[in-house]
Amino acid sequence: MTRPGQHMAAEIAEQPEVLAGLVARRAEIAEVAQVIAHRPPRFALLAARGSSDHAALYAKYLIEVMLGLPAGLVSPSTVTLYGARPDLRDVLLVSVSQSGGSPDLLEFTETARKQGALTVAVTNTPDSPLHRAAELGVNIGAGTERAVAATKTYSATLLALYLLIDAVRGGDGSAAAELGPLAEQALQAPVQRAVDRYRFVNRIITTGRGYSYATALESALKLAETSYLAARAYSGADLLHGPVAAIDEDTAVLAVTGTGRGGAAMQDVLKAVAERGADVLALGSAADDVPAALRIPVPAVAEELAPVLEVLPVQQLALGLSVARGGDPDSPRGLLKVTRTR
């Protein structure tokens, strides 16, 4: 007999090994990066859905900051439903999908390649249709994921994207060398107090800036799909442009606060939500340095790699809240492992 969340818990625990294995394979990813570097694009597009969409947003920051190229997230329906055929000559398209099985991403990738784009598939399934459709492929190598909620495939996708983009600019991935041991430390974070405090909450706001905005988005998704919370993610900047008015003493706020520029930019956000009486859970490498009801510290690492570690205690929180609320995150209602959209 399986216990609630058994698969999710096991896969969360696998991540230090998965991440260390991916770092060890960075030369393989660098070979793909060399092809991109030899065919420099005018700009980059990213195609993804669900958790992979959050990883794609993270990659957008990496591309714009580390490569100095404009980057955008595509709307697959412009091609699949409306029949658009954009001119994509000298454009890099990175399609991100853990399963590689979403029909809309497959169709968009096939069309983009015909329209002149250099296409790269980043997946956990090297024999998938998406992987075969793209000119180049990166296998994140996370192994089979049985839980419906993505955990190890999400963090591995983040790291694979970092290693790819770092290699395009000529980097050797050395900044990520210790991510395996650091992930082990991150998984020792004190999460149970947060589970106890928020198990009866009905709505939660998640927020972050810069690279960590992806963590805020993934946090909201994980809490919604496992614990059925009304979770909404905002960039810290967007939160101050109106939504902060809806925050009061009955609102829980998960604020991702790192030691880099994005974390520093969260100071005004934290001040504003504190003035509204929100119950703040600070998570990140700067969690101990900000005003909050509870804190979940995460090991410090280069800011562009922080999302790989930040998401680990979030996954534990989502698992713990789901079980504490009487649910089973391995069997969330109405969800399947692969969602097929067009």
Side-chain angles (χ1 to χ4, degrees):
M1 181 177 178
T2 61
R3 65 183 186 278
Q6 177 177 314
H7 296 315
M8 186 176 178
E11 288 162 5
I12 289 173
E14 290 176 27
Q15 289 174 102
E17 182 179 356
V18 169
L19 296 173
L22 193 50
V23 170
R25 291 173 42 231
R26 63 185 185 267
E28 171 189 324
I29 297 174
E31 292 179 6
V32 177
Q34 286 178 1
V35 177
I36 299 171
H38 288 142
R39 294 167 59 181
R42 291 182 292 122
F43 60 88
L45 294 174
L46 299 125
R49 294 289 192 192
S51 285
S52 293
D53 202 32
H54 306 152
L57 177 67
Y58 166 70
K60 180 181 186 297
Y61 276 87
L62 292 175
I63 291 168
E64 293 187 343
V65 175
M66 292 168 54
L67 301 184
L69 292 175
L73 304 180
V74 307
S75 299
S77 62
T78 60
V79 165
T80 62
L81 298 184
Y82 295 98
R85 295 296 182 264
D87 180 357
L88 297 179
R89 288 172 294 178
D90 299 323
V91 172
L92 171 66
L93 173 73
V94 181
S95 299
V96 187
S97 172
Q98 292 146 14
S99 69
S102 182
D104 54 352
L105 297 184
L106 174 61
E107 185 176 342
F108 192 97
T109 302
E110 291 173 336
T111 300
R113 188 170 181 180
K114 291 176 183 176
Q115 295 299 112
L118 172 59
T119 53
V120 183
V122 178
T123 78
N124 193 43
T125 315
D127 61 349
S128 66
L130 182 64
H131 212 91
R132 293 194 297 269
E135 184 174 344
L136 302 170
V138 173
N139 174 18
I140 69 171
T144 302
E145 191 171 56
R146 299 178 64 188
V148 173
T151 54
K152 63 179 181 177
T153 54
Y154 178 73
S155 60
T157 298
L158 295 181
L159 179 54
L161 288 165
Y162 170 81
L163 292 172
L164 176 67
I165 295 163
D166 178 62
V168 170
R169 69 168 177 174
D172 61 3
S174 58
E178 298 302 315
L179 274 187
L182 289 173
E184 194 71 55
Q185 292 181 39
L187 289 174
Q188 304 306 313
V191 173
Q192 188 57 48
R193 285 185 63 201
V195 171
D196 295 339
R197 187 178 186 93
Y198 300 113
R199 64 179 297 184
F200 297 113
V201 74
N202 290 316
R203 63 190 181 102
I204 186 167
I205 298 294
T206 65
T207 183
R209 289 204 66 180
Y211 297 105
S212 295
Y213 180 34
T215 305
L217 288 163
E218 179 65 9
S219 299
L221 175 60
K222 281 292 165 285
L223 293 169
E225 69 181 352
T226 60
S227 300
Y228 316 136
L229 285 169
R232 181 72 184 267
Y234 291 99
S235 156
D238 288 334
L239 186 60
L240 295 181
H241 279 271
V244 69
I247 292 177
D248 56 26
E249 62 274 6
D250 294 324
T251 308
V253 175
L254 190 163
V256 188
T257 56
T259 52
R261 297 181 184 183
M266 285 292 293
Q267 296 298 323
D268 288 343
V269 180
L270 289 165
K271 179 181 178 181
V273 298
E275 289 173 351
R276 303 288 302 175
D279 192 294
V280 177
L281 169 61
L283 181 148
S285 55
D288 287 334
D289 302 323
V290 300
L294 283 181
R295 300 174 179 84
I296 299 179
V298 174
V301 70
E303 183 179 4
E304 59 268 23
L305 282 166
V308 182
L309 299 181
E310 291 164 350
V311 76
L312 305 184
V314 170
Q315 296 167 353
Q316 292 177 309
L317 175 63
L319 168 64
L321 283 174
S322 177
V323 174
R325 292 160 69 95
D328 181 358
D330 289 340
S331 300
R333 62 194 185 207
L335 294 181
L336 298 173
K337 183 60 182 171
V338 179
T339 301
R340 300 186 180 277
T341 54
R342 187 171 187 274

